[in-house]
Amino acid sequence: MASASRSRPNILLTGTPGTGKSVTGIELSQRTGLNYINIGEIAKENDLFEGWDDELECHVLDEDKVIDEMEDIMSDGGNIVDYHGCEFFPERWFDIVFVLRTDNTVLYDRLQQRGYTEKKLTNNVECEIFQTILEEAKESYKKEIVHELPSNTSEDLERNLEQIEQWVQQWRG
């Protein structure tokens, strides 16, 4: 197992946009001392894009460039990675994967507040309805490391943070 060579775990926080990955990841980083990595920010800072998707109104990530950029960081361990996809990351990078899930009405409101176009909003809500990210995670990683967490309320956030913190403490031994 790849984690044997790391002194600290790597965690993947994934889920449909608007499920609370960034809020969870930033707070978790503060509580655990693990390094928070937002893939979207890394991609912008290092121009890791293949182009622009007019239909979805977003950049298209160059997944190979992202992997090259992050390989050394990930091999050291101690990272919380935040991204709305997960199938392209090497399986060896992560010791545990948390898929945040949000009720459709809550998600719709969150994305609407972000100013998403109707098409982009609908695509993301449908992604959540069809459990696209959860299925992607289950297909990409060992089932025993993939965990689904509800992310609708501040109480859910606190419960998730406590659960993940406890896992990190147990991982450290």
Side-chain angles (χ1 to χ4, degrees):
M1 180 180 229
S3 63
S5 64
R6 294 193 291 261
S7 61
R8 300 187 307 158
N10 284 328
I11 298 169
L12 175 61
L13 288 177
T14 190
T16 305
T19 55
K21 297 177 300 298
S22 298
V23 171
T24 302
I26 291 166
E27 180 64 25
L28 190 61
S29 174
Q30 292 172 349
R31 292 184 184 195
T32 63
L34 297 175
N35 182 35
Y36 171 71
I37 301 170
N38 180 306
I39 296 298
E41 289 174 13
I42 294 278
K44 282 180 199 159
E45 290 168 11
N46 298 287
D47 192 28
L48 306 177
F49 299 112
E50 291 179 334
W52 178 261
D53 184 324
D54 288 327
E55 188 177 333
L56 295 177
E57 298 180 359
C58 64
H59 285 100
V60 177
L61 200 64
D62 186 324
E63 297 171 352
D64 292 335
K65 284 184 181 177
V66 170
I67 291 168
D68 291 344
E69 181 73 28
M70 293 183 54
E71 188 68 57
D72 290 342
I73 296 165
M74 295 306 291
S75 64
D76 291 342
N79 300 296
I80 301 163
V81 175
D82 163 355
Y83 194 60
H84 59 263
C86 63
E87 82 285 352
F88 71 94
F89 295 122
E91 187 177 1
R92 69 182 181 281
W93 277 7
F94 298 107
D95 300 292
I96 197 157
V97 176
F98 294 102
V99 182
L100 300 183
R101 302 293 313 282
T102 302
D103 290 338
N104 302 326
T105 52
V106 174
L107 184 63
Y108 186 94
D109 291 345
R110 287 179 186 172
L111 297 178
Q112 197 171 41
Q113 287 173 351
R114 289 184 180 183
Y116 277 35
T117 63
E118 193 61 36
K119 182 171 186 67
K120 194 169 179 179
L121 208 152
T122 302
N123 283 347
N124 282 298
V125 170
E126 286 176 356
C127 181
E128 187 65 4
I129 291 169
F130 294 119
Q131 302 184 13
T132 305
I133 308 296
L134 179 62
E135 293 305 318
E136 190 177 283
K138 287 179 177 179
E139 291 170 10
S140 301
Y141 303 95
K142 293 181 186 122
K143 286 182 179 64
E144 61 268 17
I145 73 163
V146 176
H147 302 274
E148 181 180 0
L149 298 175
S151 183
N152 299 299
T153 64
S154 55
E155 291 81 11
D156 287 342
L157 172 63
E158 187 57 38
R159 194 170 33 255
N160 292 342
L161 288 165
E162 288 171 4
Q163 182 179 341
I164 299 169
E165 273 184 280
Q166 189 173 34
W167 179 87
V168 169
Q169 289 168 357
Q170 290 172 351
W171 193 91
R172 289 180 178 154

